[in-house]
PDB file of all heavy atoms in Angstrom:
ATOM      1  N   TRP A 263       9.625  10.871 -13.550  1.00  0.00           N
ATOM      2  CA  TRP A 263      10.789  10.376 -12.792  1.00  0.00           C
ATOM      3  C   TRP A 263      12.077  11.081 -13.274  1.00  0.00           C
ATOM      4  O   TRP A 263      12.928  11.395 -12.473  1.00  0.00           O
ATOM      5  CB  TRP A 263      10.946   8.880 -13.027  1.00  0.00           C
ATOM      6  CG  TRP A 263      12.170   8.322 -12.474  1.00  0.00           C
ATOM      7  CD1 TRP A 263      13.269   7.932 -13.194  1.00  0.00           C
ATOM      8  CD2 TRP A 263      12.505   8.105 -11.074  1.00  0.00           C
ATOM      9  NE1 TRP A 263      14.262   7.467 -12.324  1.00  0.00           N
ATOM     10  CE2 TRP A 263      13.825   7.575 -11.065  1.00  0.00           C
ATOM     11  CE3 TRP A 263      11.817   8.306  -9.901  1.00  0.00           C
ATOM     12  CZ2 TRP A 263      14.451   7.232  -9.851  1.00  0.00           C
ATOM     13  CZ3 TRP A 263      12.459   7.982  -8.712  1.00  0.00           C
ATOM     14  CH2 TRP A 263      13.719   7.431  -8.704  1.00  0.00           C
ATOM     15  N   SER A 264      12.146  11.373 -14.551  1.00  0.00           N
ATOM     16  CA  SER A 264      13.348  12.013 -15.074  1.00  0.00           C
ATOM     17  C   SER A 264      13.383  13.513 -14.872  1.00  0.00           C
ATOM     18  O   SER A 264      14.402  14.187 -15.168  1.00  0.00           O
ATOM     19  CB  SER A 264      13.428  11.748 -16.586  1.00  0.00           C
ATOM     20  OG  SER A 264      12.338  12.283 -17.228  1.00  0.00           O
ATOM     21  N   GLY A 265      12.278  14.080 -14.363  1.00  0.00           N
ATOM     22  CA  GLY A 265      12.298  15.511 -14.059  1.00  0.00           C
ATOM     23  C   GLY A 265      11.563  16.384 -15.076  1.00  0.00           C
ATOM     24  O   GLY A 265      11.514  17.595 -14.902  1.00  0.00           O
ATOM     25  N   SER A 266      10.992  15.814 -16.094  1.00  0.00           N
ATOM     26  CA  SER A 266      10.208  16.617 -17.067  1.00  0.00           C
ATOM     27  C   SER A 266       8.915  17.100 -16.331  1.00  0.00           C
ATOM     28  O   SER A 266       8.287  16.364 -15.631  1.00  0.00           O
ATOM     29  CB  SER A 266       9.846  15.764 -18.262  1.00  0.00           C
ATOM     30  OG  SER A 266      10.953  15.373 -18.956  1.00  0.00           O
ATOM     31  N   THR A 267       8.608  18.392 -16.597  1.00  0.00           N
ATOM     32  CA  THR A 267       7.465  18.959 -15.915  1.00  0.00           C
ATOM     33  C   THR A 267       6.388  19.407 -16.969  1.00  0.00           C
ATOM     34  O   THR A 267       6.679  19.730 -18.079  1.00  0.00           O
ATOM     35  CB  THR A 267       7.900  20.183 -15.103  1.00  0.00           C
ATOM     36  OG1 THR A 267       8.530  21.106 -15.975  1.00  0.00           O
ATOM     37  CG2 THR A 267       8.807  19.788 -13.969  1.00  0.00           C
ATOM     38  N   TYR A 268       5.154  19.376 -16.466  1.00  0.00           N
ATOM     39  CA  TYR A 268       4.015  19.739 -17.277  1.00  0.00           C
ATOM     40  C   TYR A 268       3.074  20.555 -16.432  1.00  0.00           C
ATOM     41  O   TYR A 268       2.857  20.236 -15.265  1.00  0.00           O
ATOM     42  CB  TYR A 268       3.344  18.490 -17.809  1.00  0.00           C
ATOM     43  CG  TYR A 268       4.261  17.611 -18.613  1.00  0.00           C
ATOM     44  CD1 TYR A 268       5.060  16.645 -17.966  1.00  0.00           C
ATOM     45  CD2 TYR A 268       4.321  17.685 -20.010  1.00  0.00           C
ATOM     46  CE1 TYR A 268       5.901  15.861 -18.679  1.00  0.00           C
ATOM     47  CE2 TYR A 268       5.217  16.923 -20.686  1.00  0.00           C
ATOM     48  CZ  TYR A 268       6.012  15.996 -20.063  1.00  0.00           C
ATOM     49  OH  TYR A 268       6.889  15.217 -20.739  1.00  0.00           O
ATOM     50  N   TYR A 269       2.435  21.546 -16.984  1.00  0.00           N
ATOM     51  CA  TYR A 269       1.533  22.413 -16.266  1.00  0.00           C
ATOM     52  C   TYR A 269       0.265  22.715 -17.027  1.00  0.00           C
ATOM     53  O   TYR A 269       0.275  22.771 -18.273  1.00  0.00           O
ATOM     54  CB  TYR A 269       2.257  23.764 -16.026  1.00  0.00           C
ATOM     55  CG  TYR A 269       3.512  23.674 -15.150  1.00  0.00           C
ATOM     56  CD1 TYR A 269       4.721  23.565 -15.738  1.00  0.00           C
ATOM     57  CD2 TYR A 269       3.387  23.655 -13.788  1.00  0.00           C
ATOM     58  CE1 TYR A 269       5.892  23.426 -14.950  1.00  0.00           C
ATOM     59  CE2 TYR A 269       4.544  23.517 -13.002  1.00  0.00           C
ATOM     60  CZ  TYR A 269       5.783  23.412 -13.589  1.00  0.00           C
ATOM     61  OH  TYR A 269       6.893  23.332 -12.800  1.00  0.00           O
ATOM     62  N   ALA A 270      -0.838  22.877 -16.264  1.00  0.00           N
ATOM     63  CA  ALA A 270      -2.029  23.415 -16.870  1.00  0.00           C
ATOM     64  C   ALA A 270      -1.807  24.861 -17.300  1.00  0.00           C
ATOM     65  O   ALA A 270      -1.027  25.578 -16.625  1.00  0.00           O
ATOM     66  CB  ALA A 270      -3.152  23.274 -15.852  1.00  0.00           C
ATOM     67  N   ASP A 271      -2.460  25.263 -18.302  1.00  0.00           N
ATOM     68  CA  ASP A 271      -2.300  26.654 -18.795  1.00  0.00           C
ATOM     69  C   ASP A 271      -2.617  27.667 -17.686  1.00  0.00           C
ATOM     70  O   ASP A 271      -2.067  28.749 -17.615  1.00  0.00           O
ATOM     71  CB  ASP A 271      -3.205  26.894 -20.019  1.00  0.00           C
ATOM     72  CG  ASP A 271      -2.689  26.195 -21.239  1.00  0.00           C
ATOM     73  OD1 ASP A 271      -1.502  25.750 -21.276  1.00  0.00           O
ATOM     74  OD2 ASP A 271      -3.478  26.031 -22.196  1.00  0.00           O
ATOM     75  N   SER A 272      -3.569  27.323 -16.823  1.00  0.00           N
ATOM     76  CA  SER A 272      -4.056  28.241 -15.808  1.00  0.00           C
ATOM     77  C   SER A 272      -2.963  28.520 -14.736  1.00  0.00           C
ATOM     78  O   SER A 272      -3.087  29.541 -14.029  1.00  0.00           O
ATOM     79  CB  SER A 272      -5.280  27.704 -15.166  1.00  0.00           C
ATOM     80  OG  SER A 272      -5.058  26.444 -14.566  1.00  0.00           O
ATOM     81  N   VAL A 273      -1.995  27.652 -14.648  1.00  0.00           N
ATOM     82  CA  VAL A 273      -0.965  27.833 -13.564  1.00  0.00           C
ATOM     83  C   VAL A 273       0.402  28.051 -14.144  1.00  0.00           C
ATOM     84  O   VAL A 273       1.362  28.368 -13.408  1.00  0.00           O
ATOM     85  CB  VAL A 273      -0.945  26.664 -12.615  1.00  0.00           C
ATOM     86  CG1 VAL A 273      -2.364  26.378 -12.057  1.00  0.00           C
ATOM     87  CG2 VAL A 273      -0.352  25.384 -13.254  1.00  0.00           C
ATOM     88  N   LYS A 274       0.577  27.859 -15.473  1.00  0.00           N
ATOM     89  CA  LYS A 274       1.907  27.985 -16.088  1.00  0.00           C
ATOM     90  C   LYS A 274       2.488  29.366 -15.836  1.00  0.00           C
ATOM     91  O   LYS A 274       1.834  30.378 -15.968  1.00  0.00           O
ATOM     92  CB  LYS A 274       1.734  27.718 -17.606  1.00  0.00           C
ATOM     93  CG  LYS A 274       3.042  27.400 -18.303  1.00  0.00           C
ATOM     94  CD  LYS A 274       2.730  26.973 -19.765  1.00  0.00           C
ATOM     95  CE  LYS A 274       1.949  25.686 -19.827  1.00  0.00           C
ATOM     96  NZ  LYS A 274       1.686  25.285 -21.214  1.00  0.00           N
ATOM     97  N   GLY A 275       3.746  29.403 -15.404  1.00  0.00           N
ATOM     98  CA  GLY A 275       4.418  30.583 -15.113  1.00  0.00           C
ATOM     99  C   GLY A 275       4.282  31.085 -13.662  1.00  0.00           C
ATOM    100  O   GLY A 275       5.001  31.990 -13.244  1.00  0.00           O
ATOM    101  N   ARG A 276       3.379  30.460 -12.960  1.00  0.00           N
ATOM    102  CA  ARG A 276       3.167  30.838 -11.571  1.00  0.00           C
ATOM    103  C   ARG A 276       3.455  29.722 -10.576  1.00  0.00           C
ATOM    104  O   ARG A 276       3.922  29.956  -9.452  1.00  0.00           O
ATOM    105  CB  ARG A 276       1.686  31.263 -11.355  1.00  0.00           C
ATOM    106  CG  ARG A 276       1.251  32.442 -12.203  1.00  0.00           C
ATOM    107  CD  ARG A 276      -0.126  32.898 -11.829  1.00  0.00           C
ATOM    108  NE  ARG A 276      -1.128  31.886 -12.049  1.00  0.00           N
ATOM    109  CZ  ARG A 276      -1.930  31.386 -11.088  1.00  0.00           C
ATOM    110  NH1 ARG A 276      -1.828  31.876  -9.821  1.00  0.00           N
ATOM    111  NH2 ARG A 276      -2.829  30.437 -11.389  1.00  0.00           N
ATOM    112  N   PHE A 277       3.213  28.498 -11.039  1.00  0.00           N
ATOM    113  CA  PHE A 277       3.428  27.324 -10.167  1.00  0.00           C
ATOM    114  C   PHE A 277       4.701  26.597 -10.689  1.00  0.00           C
ATOM    115  O   PHE A 277       4.981  26.496 -11.881  1.00  0.00           O
ATOM    116  CB  PHE A 277       2.267  26.350 -10.222  1.00  0.00           C
ATOM    117  CG  PHE A 277       1.031  26.852  -9.554  1.00  0.00           C
ATOM    118  CD1 PHE A 277       0.869  28.162  -9.146  1.00  0.00           C
ATOM    119  CD2 PHE A 277      -0.044  25.968  -9.333  1.00  0.00           C
ATOM    120  CE1 PHE A 277      -0.288  28.596  -8.522  1.00  0.00           C
ATOM    121  CE2 PHE A 277      -1.195  26.389  -8.746  1.00  0.00           C
ATOM    122  CZ  PHE A 277      -1.332  27.703  -8.341  1.00  0.00           C
ATOM    123  N   THR A 278       5.390  25.965  -9.732  1.00  0.00           N
ATOM    124  CA  THR A 278       6.568  25.140 -10.051  1.00  0.00           C
ATOM    125  C   THR A 278       6.495  23.826  -9.279  1.00  0.00           C
ATOM    126  O   THR A 278       6.395  23.873  -8.047  1.00  0.00           O
ATOM    127  CB  THR A 278       7.903  25.873  -9.721  1.00  0.00           C
ATOM    128  OG1 THR A 278       7.941  27.132 -10.442  1.00  0.00           O
ATOM    129  CG2 THR A 278       9.068  25.011 -10.116  1.00  0.00           C
ATOM    130  N   ILE A 279       6.530  22.719  -9.962  1.00  0.00           N
ATOM    131  CA  ILE A 279       6.511  21.403  -9.336  1.00  0.00           C
ATOM    132  C   ILE A 279       7.950  20.868  -9.322  1.00  0.00           C
ATOM    133  O   ILE A 279       8.718  21.072 -10.268  1.00  0.00           O
ATOM    134  CB  ILE A 279       5.604  20.428 -10.107  1.00  0.00           C
ATOM    135  CG1 ILE A 279       5.414  19.159  -9.271  1.00  0.00           C
ATOM    136  CG2 ILE A 279       6.079  20.176 -11.522  1.00  0.00           C
ATOM    137  CD1 ILE A 279       4.323  18.245  -9.842  1.00  0.00           C
ATOM    138  N   SER A 280       8.290  20.239  -8.199  1.00  0.00           N
ATOM    139  CA  SER A 280       9.623  19.605  -8.092  1.00  0.00           C
ATOM    140  C   SER A 280       9.500  18.313  -7.298  1.00  0.00           C
ATOM    141  O   SER A 280       8.531  18.188  -6.525  1.00  0.00           O
ATOM    142  CB  SER A 280      10.586  20.601  -7.359  1.00  0.00           C
ATOM    143  OG  SER A 280      10.108  20.970  -6.089  1.00  0.00           O
ATOM    144  N   ARG A 281      10.490  17.439  -7.427  1.00  0.00           N
ATOM    145  CA  ARG A 281      10.411  16.209  -6.680  1.00  0.00           C
ATOM    146  C   ARG A 281      11.798  15.845  -6.186  1.00  0.00           C
ATOM    147  O   ARG A 281      12.816  16.205  -6.849  1.00  0.00           O
ATOM    148  CB  ARG A 281       9.751  15.066  -7.497  1.00  0.00           C
ATOM    149  CG  ARG A 281      10.589  14.613  -8.686  1.00  0.00           C
ATOM    150  CD  ARG A 281       9.806  13.594  -9.542  1.00  0.00           C
ATOM    151  NE  ARG A 281       9.727  12.302  -8.937  1.00  0.00           N
ATOM    152  CZ  ARG A 281       9.025  11.275  -9.493  1.00  0.00           C
ATOM    153  NH1 ARG A 281       8.401  11.470 -10.677  1.00  0.00           N
ATOM    154  NH2 ARG A 281       8.976  10.069  -8.951  1.00  0.00           N
ATOM    155  N   ASP A 282      11.828  15.189  -5.075  1.00  0.00           N
ATOM    156  CA  ASP A 282      13.083  14.632  -4.501  1.00  0.00           C
ATOM    157  C   ASP A 282      12.900  13.120  -4.390  1.00  0.00           C
ATOM    158  O   ASP A 282      12.210  12.656  -3.463  1.00  0.00           O
ATOM    159  CB  ASP A 282      13.349  15.282  -3.162  1.00  0.00           C
ATOM    160  CG  ASP A 282      14.700  14.900  -2.572  1.00  0.00           C
ATOM    161  OD1 ASP A 282      15.184  13.741  -2.852  1.00  0.00           O
ATOM    162  OD2 ASP A 282      15.298  15.667  -1.809  1.00  0.00           O
ATOM    163  N   ASN A 283      13.443  12.399  -5.345  1.00  0.00           N
ATOM    164  CA  ASN A 283      13.233  10.973  -5.379  1.00  0.00           C
ATOM    165  C   ASN A 283      13.839  10.256  -4.174  1.00  0.00           C
ATOM    166  O   ASN A 283      13.322   9.278  -3.707  1.00  0.00           O
ATOM    167  CB  ASN A 283      13.820  10.403  -6.678  1.00  0.00           C
ATOM    168  CG  ASN A 283      13.081  10.895  -7.890  1.00  0.00           C
ATOM    169  OD1 ASN A 283      11.828  11.137  -7.840  1.00  0.00           O
ATOM    170  ND2 ASN A 283      13.728  11.039  -8.990  1.00  0.00           N
ATOM    171  N   ALA A 284      14.899  10.810  -3.634  1.00  0.00           N
ATOM    172  CA  ALA A 284      15.559  10.177  -2.446  1.00  0.00           C
ATOM    173  C   ALA A 284      14.667  10.337  -1.189  1.00  0.00           C
ATOM    174  O   ALA A 284      14.687   9.455  -0.327  1.00  0.00           O
ATOM    175  CB  ALA A 284      16.918  10.791  -2.282  1.00  0.00           C
ATOM    176  N   ARG A 285      14.004  11.467  -1.158  1.00  0.00           N
ATOM    177  CA  ARG A 285      13.169  11.730   0.037  1.00  0.00           C
ATOM    178  C   ARG A 285      11.695  11.386  -0.195  1.00  0.00           C
ATOM    179  O   ARG A 285      10.882  11.532   0.690  1.00  0.00           O
ATOM    180  CB  ARG A 285      13.317  13.214   0.402  1.00  0.00           C
ATOM    181  CG  ARG A 285      14.650  13.576   0.890  1.00  0.00           C
ATOM    182  CD  ARG A 285      14.756  15.088   1.099  1.00  0.00           C
ATOM    183  NE  ARG A 285      13.735  15.597   2.028  1.00  0.00           N
ATOM    184  CZ  ARG A 285      12.860  16.567   1.722  1.00  0.00           C
ATOM    185  NH1 ARG A 285      12.872  17.081   0.514  1.00  0.00           N
ATOM    186  NH2 ARG A 285      11.935  16.916   2.585  1.00  0.00           N
ATOM    187  N   ASN A 286      11.375  10.902  -1.415  1.00  0.00           N
ATOM    188  CA  ASN A 286      10.027  10.535  -1.761  1.00  0.00           C
ATOM    189  C   ASN A 286       9.040  11.689  -1.560  1.00  0.00           C
ATOM    190  O   ASN A 286       7.915  11.535  -0.995  1.00  0.00           O
ATOM    191  CB  ASN A 286       9.540   9.355  -0.876  1.00  0.00           C
ATOM    192  CG  ASN A 286      10.353   8.120  -1.162  1.00  0.00           C
ATOM    193  OD1 ASN A 286      10.801   7.890  -2.253  1.00  0.00           O
ATOM    194  ND2 ASN A 286      10.521   7.272  -0.150  1.00  0.00           N
ATOM    195  N   THR A 287       9.421  12.842  -1.985  1.00  0.00           N
ATOM    196  CA  THR A 287       8.511  14.051  -1.829  1.00  0.00           C
ATOM    197  C   THR A 287       8.368  14.720  -3.201  1.00  0.00           C
ATOM    198  O   THR A 287       9.179  14.626  -4.098  1.00  0.00           O
ATOM    199  CB  THR A 287       9.188  15.057  -0.889  1.00  0.00           C
ATOM    200  OG1 THR A 287      10.465  15.494  -1.371  1.00  0.00           O
ATOM    201  CG2 THR A 287       9.342  14.479   0.526  1.00  0.00           C
TER     202      THR A 287
END
Side-chain angles (χ1 to χ4, degrees):
W263 172 255
S264 62
S266 298
T267 57
Y268 303 85
Y269 298 95
D271 288 343
S272 58
V273 307
K274 197 173 295 182
R276 300 186 299 121
F277 290 11
T278 302
I279 189 171
S280 60
R281 69 189 283 177
D282 185 330
N283 294 329
R285 294 173 56 237
N286 297 328
T287 59

